Amino acid sequence: MQHHLRCLAALLGAAILVTACGGEEKGGDKEASKSFADLDAFPSTYAIEQSKPVIIRNATVLTGTGERLDNTDLVLEKGRIAKIGEKLRAPRNALEIDAKGKWVTPGLVDVHSHLGNYPAPSIESSQDGNEMTSPNTAEVWTEHSVWTQDPQFELALAGGVTTLQILPGSANLFGGRSVTLKNVPGRSVQDMKFPGAPYGMKMACGENPKRVYGGKGTAPSTRMGNVAGYRSAWLEASRYKDKWEKYWEKGGEAPDRNLQLETLAGVLNGEILVHNHCYRGEEMAIMMDIAEEFDFQITAFHHAVEAYKVADLLAEQGVCSAMWADWWGFKHEAFDMTEANIAIVDQAGACAMIHSDSAIGIQHLNEEVAKAMTAGQRAGFDITPEYAVTWMTLNPARALGVADETGSIEKGKMADVVLWSGNPFSVYSKAEKVFIDGELMFDREDPARQSHSDFELGILNPEGERS
């Protein structure tokens, strides 16, 4: 497998990437960029070159757009989905795969992961996901804690995950910036950063912030303290944003930079997406009220155990909900659960999706969707596999702001594709081959395409025996 650094700006055709790949604008010049998102501070250096074209023949394809295509061929070329149809002509020197009896889906997208921040082995010195020093740590960036050698990335790849968002933990009201990664090996986190993906910002409501800081004898110690903390921070960020906009418009002396307020102002400016840890229905309603007060958009509520109670409000406000299939009851605010949660939110017209928040769960998101689909069917909803697949592909891609590039099998999109041994919603099916940008990154039948870490293999002691 060969990886070559190259600029993807021309390939993706997005203006935002000109800066990220080393275009004319330089550095973090606020006067030039008029941006709070700091796109230049730690630019993506991600690149992967497809070694040869690929044609997958005779597959059952779930496109991620609500379609099922039987006996269909798929051509992956130059890192993109080039052709979809029947009896297609193979490109020259293509890798040909007979997928008769097998299924193809888009690469899976996990909108909520902590891989790299809570890596394996799970020891105290490597736990870097929660900066529990202040209720507001919007200045921290989770990518600066990602250990790229975490062996759990490879296990997620074997489960078909090609894109994932790494979030800070949920101890704080404002936990910091998230980062979206392509699930490829990288020497640095920048080698994994999804080109052009917007930053996210993690917020948390409910039990966690009030427990963490109330336990330290400081605010917030109640849910009303949580809300007061949000509103105070947004007031300060609004003033900061106004100062910079006045400077950009009229010139003069530039305001002092503040990394914490820069992230919050990026949200207010529409450049950074809000991903909000929140369990209870009435708290989601409160958070949407706060967003309306300060004129920003919440992109997605995460965990959202009671999302079904406010599904109509989520649809009205255009807020996604990232949920589990059947995790519940592990604390009070996670108690009032229904396994039809995802289906109810979806049927209300809101954007629904599965998420893991787990190094184990991320390895079988397809099975989690199967459980959620079945629960919805038992509740009386007509949910088909070609529709349910969107809960682990296109909808999370939308929530990450990358749906124009990945999350569905459509001509011109990144060739992020999974070949399954059978129906992906069968417990007996496995991801056989996983392609990212058309390159075969995992092959269950080829040991050369299966990465193994020291963590899995063990370490030789001085006597040559495995420990």
Side-chain angles (χ1 to χ4, degrees):
M1 189 180 306
Q2 296 181 351
H3 301 276
H4 305 279
L5 295 179
R6 58 181 172 84
C7 181
L8 293 182
L11 179 63
L12 299 181
I16 197 171
L17 296 182
V18 174
T19 304
C21 288
E24 292 182 1
E25 293 183 9
K26 300 293 182 182
D29 186 348
K30 289 290 181 286
E31 187 172 11
S33 66
K34 297 186 179 180
S35 166
F36 295 109
D38 258 353
L39 295 172
D40 288 342
F42 301 94
S44 171
T45 54
Y46 169 83
I48 181 172
E49 185 170 301
Q50 187 176 1
S51 57
K52 61 166 62 178
V54 177
I55 183 165
I56 301 171
R57 295 195 181 278
N58 307 312
T60 299
V61 178
L62 302 181
T63 65
T65 63
E67 288 186 282
R68 169 177 167 166
L69 306 175
D70 294 319
N71 300 313
T72 296
D73 298 349
L74 198 62
V75 174
L76 316 180
E77 195 168 17
K78 298 180 180 178
R80 296 276 161 171
I81 297 170
K83 296 178 183 178
I84 308 164
E86 295 184 21
K87 299 180 180 178
L88 297 178
R89 185 174 180 178
R92 185 179 179 184
N93 298 322
L95 169 64
E96 296 202 36
I97 299 169
D98 183 6
K100 188 174 180 59
K102 300 179 181 181
W103 294 49
V104 168
T105 69
L108 308 193
V109 181
D110 191 358
V111 74
H112 190 120
S113 178
H114 299 290
L115 298 191
N117 279 3
Y118 290 101
S122 180
I123 54 177
E124 186 175 354
S125 64
S126 67
Q127 307 302 287
D128 290 312
N130 261 321
E131 182 61 40
M132 291 188 288
T133 52
S134 170
N136 185 353
T137 58
E139 70 274 13
V140 305
W141 296 24
T142 191
E143 64 195 76
H144 299 146
S145 283
V146 171
W147 184 44
T148 61
Q149 297 177 64
D150 183 357
Q152 296 170 131
F153 284 118
E154 297 152 8
L155 299 177
L157 181 67
V161 174
T162 57
T163 299
L164 63 165
Q165 177 177 223
I166 311 301
L167 290 155
S170 54
N172 303 337
L173 301 176
F174 300 90
R177 293 198 197 190
S178 67
V179 64
T180 298
L181 305 179
K182 300 279 284 205
N183 195 7
V184 299
R187 291 186 301 172
S188 73
V189 70
Q190 289 164 255
D191 290 346
M192 301 174 71
K193 284 177 75 169
F194 196 117
Y199 286 108
M201 199 268 293
K202 174 73 174 289
M203 294 182 66
C205 62
E207 187 176 317
N208 286 15
K210 80 185 192 77
R211 171 177 48 81
V212 169
Y213 291 97
K216 297 179 179 181
T218 186
S221 65
T222 61
R223 282 179 165 83
M224 61 185 174
N226 286 353
V227 173
Y230 305 133
R231 298 179 75 209
S232 295
W234 289 122
L235 281 171
E236 190 176 1
S238 297
R239 291 191 289 267
Y240 182 80
K241 175 176 174 285
D242 289 344
K243 286 180 183 178
W244 273 100
E245 288 180 344
K246 187 176 294 184
Y247 164 69
W248 289 331
E249 180 182 352
K250 298 182 179 179
E253 185 176 353
D256 291 335
R257 287 185 64 184
N258 181 303
L259 294 179
Q260 182 182 103
L261 295 176
E262 218 164 77
T263 292
L264 298 182
V267 171
L268 297 177
N269 215 32
E271 301 170 303
I272 297 176
L273 309 180
V274 173
H275 293 272
N276 196 160
H277 163 118
C278 210
Y279 284 82
R280 293 189 350 192
E282 83 284 351
E283 287 190 272
M284 294 180 216
I286 289 170
M287 297 306 291
M288 287 187 281
D289 285 343
I290 293 170
E292 185 173 354
E293 179 183 8
F294 292 99
D295 194 25
F296 68 89
Q297 176 70 32
I298 296 173
T299 297
F301 288 116
H302 291 231
H303 310 333
V305 165
E306 294 186 10
Y308 66 95
K309 296 182 179 180
V310 290
D312 57 330
L313 300 181
L314 297 172
E316 289 171 11
Q317 297 295 321
V319 180
C320 292
S321 188
M323 297 159 280
W324 293 300
D326 54 8
W327 277 19
W328 69 282
F330 47 89
K331 56 180 176 177
H332 183 263
E333 66 183 0
F335 199 81
D336 202 2
M337 168 67 171
T338 171
E339 292 180 357
N341 195 18
I342 294 178
I344 292 171
V345 170
D346 184 278
Q347 296 296 313
C351 167
M353 70 198 73
I354 200 76
H355 72 337
S356 75
D357 191 29
S358 162
I360 297 174
I362 197 173
Q363 299 175 41
H364 48 79
L365 289 175
N366 59 310
E367 295 177 7
E368 298 302 302
V369 169
K371 290 190 287 185
M373 177 177 65
T374 301
Q377 291 169 344
R378 287 173 179 163
F381 300 116
D382 181 18
I383 306 170
T384 61
E386 51 263 40
Y387 186 77
V389 72
T390 64
W391 297 347
M392 61 184 183
T393 57
L394 189 58
N395 284 357
R398 286 172 176 155
L400 297 179
V402 296
D404 287 345
E405 288 294 321
T406 195
S408 61
I409 294 177
E410 298 179 83
K411 185 177 178 180
K413 281 196 169 184
M414 290 176 167
D416 298 342
V417 172
V418 183
L419 176 65
W420 302 87
S421 59
N423 184 332
F425 300 126
S426 166
V427 71
Y428 299 106
S429 295
K430 296 180 179 180
E432 284 192 351
K433 292 177 172 58
V434 182
F435 298 87
I436 299 180
D437 286 336
E439 181 68 11
L440 182 56
M441 303 296 292
F442 172 81
D443 188 344
R444 197 170 295 275
E445 299 173 347
D446 182 359
R449 297 281 180 170
Q450 300 171 20
S451 299
H452 296 289
S453 69
D454 290 342
F455 177 69
E456 294 173 287
L457 299 177
I459 300 173
L460 293 175
N461 66 27
E463 286 73 36
E465 297 177 356
R466 293 199 180 277
S467 58

